[in-house]
Amino acid sequence: MRRQIVNDPTDVVDEALEGLALSNPTLVEYRREHSLVTRAVPARGKVGLVSGGGSGHEPLHAGLVGLGMLDVAVAGAVFASPTALQVHEGTLAADSGRGVIQIVKNYTGDVLNFTIAGELAEDHAVQTEMVLVDDDLATDSGDEGGPGRRGTAATVAVEKIAGACAEAGGDLAAVAGVARRVARNSRSMSLALAAGTHPGQTRPAFDLGDDEIELGVGIHGERGIARVPFASADALTAELVEPLISALQLHRGSEVIAIVNGLGTAYPLELNIVARSVHRLLAGRGIAVARTLAGTYVSSLDMHGFSVTLTPADADLLPLWDAPVRTPALTW
Amino acid sequence: MRRQIVNDPTDVVDEALEGLALSNPTLVEYRREHSLVTRAVPARGKVGLVSGGGSGHEPLHAGLVGLGMLDVAVAGAVFASPTALQVHEGTLAADSGRGVIQIVKNYTGDVLNFTIAGELAEDHAVQTEMVLVDDDLATDSGDEGGPGRRGTAATVAVEKIAGACAEAGGDLAAVAGVARRVARNSRSMSLALAAGTHPGQTRPAFDLGDDEIELGVGIHGERGIARVPFASADALTAELVEPLISALQLHRGSEVIAIVNGLGTAYPLELNIVARSVHRLLAGRGIAVARTLAGTYVSSLDMHGFSVTLTPADADLLPLWDAPVRTPALTW
């Protein structure tokens, strides 16, 4: 039986956001009424950034609110989109007169509710631009008319780089432009040794045999695209990195930003070993890793697994990546 | 069966340290020969700080090397002390002419090997002071002649505050003094829902029933001091916080630094909920939390559990706590 450290399962989102704010009072503030997390000291005179979506992916998004990243995060219930009204309140809270970028992971409910909120914002004379993140290579069907790829850990890169652009004074079009470029050029792949378990339940979203790995899992308990044999960290990491190299058409001399992301219960020793594998696999192909994030940034409750996200490190992106950031989960 | 993302289990420490350094090239450097992690840019003209011990507690210690914290971390095998020779090399590497503070968790092997290394350092005209961390309240027998309390997550507070004092120009006696005060005044308590599993093994260090919690566990798979019933996050957190309040004789008006520490696979949602519990429990007793760290800092492989560390927030400690720090795992 999988057990979790929670109180009433229906309170997990509220309690976790309260805990985040209590632990980081100089960085963020929690507004319970609409499940918003805002900066403790609101920014003035810059393009605002709002993001959000279902909970269960902590530290995304509330842990990425602060100088150099988001202005506001809007939290839905576990794995459920926030309502259009919540997103509307979040969008208004993110505005300081120069418009608001909505960063949205590509899921039907999120896209719908952020779209409605964008229209509502116009009634309040707040300009918005939606940036869709759809990096999950496992869901790339090539079908133009379909739901498209899911949004996963590239959200961190989009939020970091867009946040730096906004902090530097970029206008709405400039911030939207660089954010869309990062989103368009990033791809992720993930795998799980064990699925996550919804708070209040005792069984994970799906079962795996001792010799099985689920390849291409989503972050909401979605099954993957294939089962592969359990193998070494290096071999498992190659299952993710090789398709990313192909999809992004990386080649000798390419330079990337890499995010090695734990999906919930991958522990630090494992993530460092995977980071080594990523570096070695890419180095072996002549691909340089300009910057690395290795940690738990976009989780799927207590899923045991990891994802790798690669973003080509265009020369103008690195100063934005390196710009100061002060959030509960990411600071430099 | 518990599975892990590793290659050859005998290589986990080497590979994880390599991964850490590859991911953080501007912060740290890995010296394979003696399993040392040093700052990428060595400090000059300050008191050096070296720490270390068995591996399996990541990000401790190597993830805490950098400006404002450690100069050098020395890594042993999983749950095994580094050798005296390794510690000796680490001590010399930490020296830049003003002596070296050795921060040592209270375990027989570590104390022995750091002691020998301290004596060897004298032969090289390097002055050392050992600071023992022994915060684990579960092992407080009151027996003066015994092995004493184990060292656990208070190490983070000791390293942070001592690091800031050294960075500010404190001499060997001043840094040792403040470090010893933090160590002496800090206490921790921990619990586990599931024990950790040694890489290469498939069974955890001990088994627990679905309705059992192990209270007072150590970070090396040591059993606890009691089994208590599985309960809500608030109730479990109270099992840790109440004894800490008594032991530290905290009272209405006291102010503390709190470290809410994941033991390996506690996931972010859980740790934020526990952080809320800690704040509410202390607030209910009129005790203010001046600063909070909530995350995975001192793990025990993939143990599912958490610890709480409280340190009285003496007025002169807060500026040292707040001073800049730039390490892979802790930055502000």
Side-chain angles (χ1 to χ4, degrees):
Chain A
M1 192 178 89
R2 174 66 196 181
R3 301 188 294 172
Q4 301 196 8
I5 307 162
V6 299
N7 295 304
D8 184 331
T10 62
D11 294 334
V12 292
V13 175
D14 174 55
E15 293 185 352
L17 294 178
E18 181 183 323
L20 179 80
L22 286 168
S23 301
N24 299 278
T26 62
L27 297 177
V28 298
E29 193 178 294
Y30 172 41
R31 301 190 193 174
R32 176 169 284 116
E33 188 183 357
H34 298 290
S35 277
L36 306 183
V37 171
T38 65
R39 297 191 189 186
V41 182
R44 291 276 144 236
K46 66 175 261 306
V47 168
L49 266 69
V50 63
S51 190
S55 294
H57 307 304
E58 294 70 23
L60 191 78
H61 294 273
L64 301 176
V65 171
L67 177 83
M69 268 179 108
L70 298 179
D71 293 279
V72 178
V74 190
V78 171
F79 294 174
S81 174
T83 65
L85 175 64
Q86 284 179 270
V87 179
H88 174 57
E89 294 293 339
T91 303
L92 295 187
D95 182 54
S96 66
R98 298 190 61 196
V100 175
I101 303 284
Q102 301 175 314
I103 299 174
V104 186
K105 302 193 298 304
N106 188 28
Y107 299 100
T108 309
D110 289 329
V111 173
L112 180 67
N113 289 317
F114 274 84
T115 301
I116 295 170
E119 290 164 3
L120 291 173
E122 279 190 32
D123 299 342
H124 289 72
V126 174
Q127 265 197 295
T128 62
E129 288 278 348
M130 187 190 293
V131 175
L132 205 63
V133 183
D134 59 348
D135 52 311
D136 184 8
L137 186 58
T139 48
D140 197 334
S141 65
D143 176 6
E144 294 272 326
R149 294 180 301 264
R150 296 180 296 226
T152 61
T155 312
V156 178
V158 172
E159 291 176 359
K160 174 67 189 79
I161 288 170
C165 182
E167 217 74 56
D171 65 14
L172 196 63
V175 180
V178 75
R180 288 189 181 120
R181 173 152 55 98
V182 173
R184 190 171 58 240
N185 292 347
S186 298
R187 292 292 181 278
S188 300
M189 276 290 285
S190 59
L191 63 78
L193 283 69
T197 301
H198 214 90
Q201 299 185 4
T202 56
R203 301 287 313 164
F206 54 83
D207 289 307
L208 285 168
D210 281 349
D211 57 348
E212 292 177 322
I213 293 291
E214 188 84 5
L215 184 68
V217 289
I219 56 173
H220 303 90
E222 303 99 327
R223 300 292 291 270
I225 51 170
R227 293 220 163 157
V228 298
F230 181 52
S232 68
D234 286 348
L236 292 178
T237 305
E239 296 272 6
L240 306 188
V241 170
E242 294 297 343
L244 293 174
I245 292 174
S246 298
L248 291 171
Q249 303 183 324
L250 301 175
H251 48 75
R252 191 162 294 278
S254 293
E255 202 176 23
V256 296
I257 296 168
I259 301 177
V260 177
N261 174 58
L263 288 169
T265 58
Y267 71 106
L269 195 75
E270 291 176 314
L271 291 177
N272 283 336
I273 290 171
V274 171
R276 170 187 171 276
S277 299
V278 169
H279 275 261
R280 289 196 163 215
L281 283 163
L282 292 172
R285 304 285 287 270
I287 299 162
V289 182
R291 302 291 185 274
T292 312
L293 265 189
T296 298
Y297 297 100
V298 182
S299 64
S300 177
L301 295 170
D302 57 0
M303 177 179 273
H304 185 201
F306 65 97
S307 65
V308 177
T309 301
L310 299 181
T311 303
D314 302 348
D316 63 324
L317 296 185
L318 290 179
L320 295 170
W321 181 267
D322 292 339
V325 57
R326 299 214 148 234
T327 72
L330 196 69
T331 290
W332 59 66
Chain B
M1 191 178 89
R2 176 66 197 181
R3 301 186 295 171
Q4 301 195 7
I5 308 163
V6 299
N7 294 304
D8 184 331
T10 62
D11 294 333
V12 293
V13 175
D14 174 55
E15 293 185 352
L17 294 178
E18 180 182 323
L20 180 80
L22 286 168
S23 300
N24 299 279
T26 62
L27 297 178
V28 297
E29 193 178 294
Y30 172 42
R31 301 190 193 174
R32 176 169 283 116
E33 188 182 358
H34 299 288
S35 278
L36 305 182
V37 171
T38 65
R39 296 191 190 187
V41 181
R44 290 276 144 239
K46 66 176 260 306
V47 167
L49 266 69
V50 63
S51 190
S55 293
H57 307 303
E58 295 70 23
L60 190 80
H61 294 274
L64 301 176
V65 170
L67 177 81
M69 267 181 108
L70 299 178
D71 293 279
V72 178
V74 190
V78 172
F79 294 173
S81 174
T83 65
L85 175 64
Q86 284 179 270
V87 180
H88 175 56
E89 294 292 339
T91 303
L92 296 187
D95 182 54
S96 66
R98 299 188 61 196
V100 176
I101 303 284
Q102 301 175 313
I103 299 174
V104 186
K105 302 193 297 303
N106 187 28
Y107 299 100
T108 310
D110 289 329
V111 173
L112 179 68
N113 290 317
F114 275 83
T115 301
I116 296 170
E119 290 163 2
L120 291 174
E122 281 189 32
D123 300 342
H124 289 73
V126 173
Q127 265 198 296
T128 63
E129 287 278 351
M130 187 189 294
V131 175
L132 205 63
V133 184
D134 59 349
D135 53 310
D136 184 9
L137 186 57
T139 48
D140 197 335
S141 65
D143 176 6
E144 293 272 326
R149 293 180 302 264
R150 297 179 297 225
T152 62
T155 312
V156 177
V158 173
E159 291 177 358
K160 173 67 188 80
I161 288 170
C165 182
E167 216 74 56
D171 64 16
L172 196 63
V175 180
V178 77
R180 287 188 183 121
R181 173 153 53 98
V182 173
R184 189 170 60 241
N185 293 346
S186 299
R187 292 293 181 277
S188 301
M189 274 290 284
S190 59
L191 62 79
L193 284 68
T197 302
H198 215 88
Q201 298 184 5
T202 56
R203 301 285 312 164
F206 53 84
D207 288 306
L208 284 168
D210 281 348
D211 56 348
E212 291 177 323
I213 293 289
E214 188 85 5
L215 184 69
V217 288
I219 56 173
H220 302 90
E222 302 100 327
R223 299 292 291 268
I225 51 169
R227 291 222 165 157
V228 298
F230 180 51
S232 68
D234 286 348
L236 292 178
T237 305
E239 296 271 6
L240 307 189
V241 170
E242 295 298 341
L244 292 174
I245 291 174
S246 298
L248 291 171
Q249 302 183 325
L250 300 176
H251 49 76
R252 192 162 294 276
S254 293
E255 202 176 26
V256 296
I257 297 169
I259 301 177
V260 176
N261 175 57
L263 288 169
T265 58
Y267 71 107
L269 196 74
E270 291 176 314
L271 291 177
N272 283 336
I273 290 171
V274 172
R276 170 187 171 276
S277 300
V278 169
H279 275 261
R280 289 197 162 214
L281 284 162
L282 291 171
R285 303 285 286 270
I287 300 162
V289 183
R291 303 289 186 273
T292 312
L293 265 188
T296 299
Y297 297 100
V298 181
S299 63
S300 177
L301 295 171
D302 57 0
M303 176 178 274
H304 184 202
F306 64 98
S307 64
V308 177
T309 301
L310 300 181
T311 302
D314 301 349
D316 63 323
L317 296 185
L318 290 179
L320 295 169
W321 180 267
D322 291 339
V325 57
R326 300 213 148 236
T327 71
L330 197 69
T331 290
W332 57 65

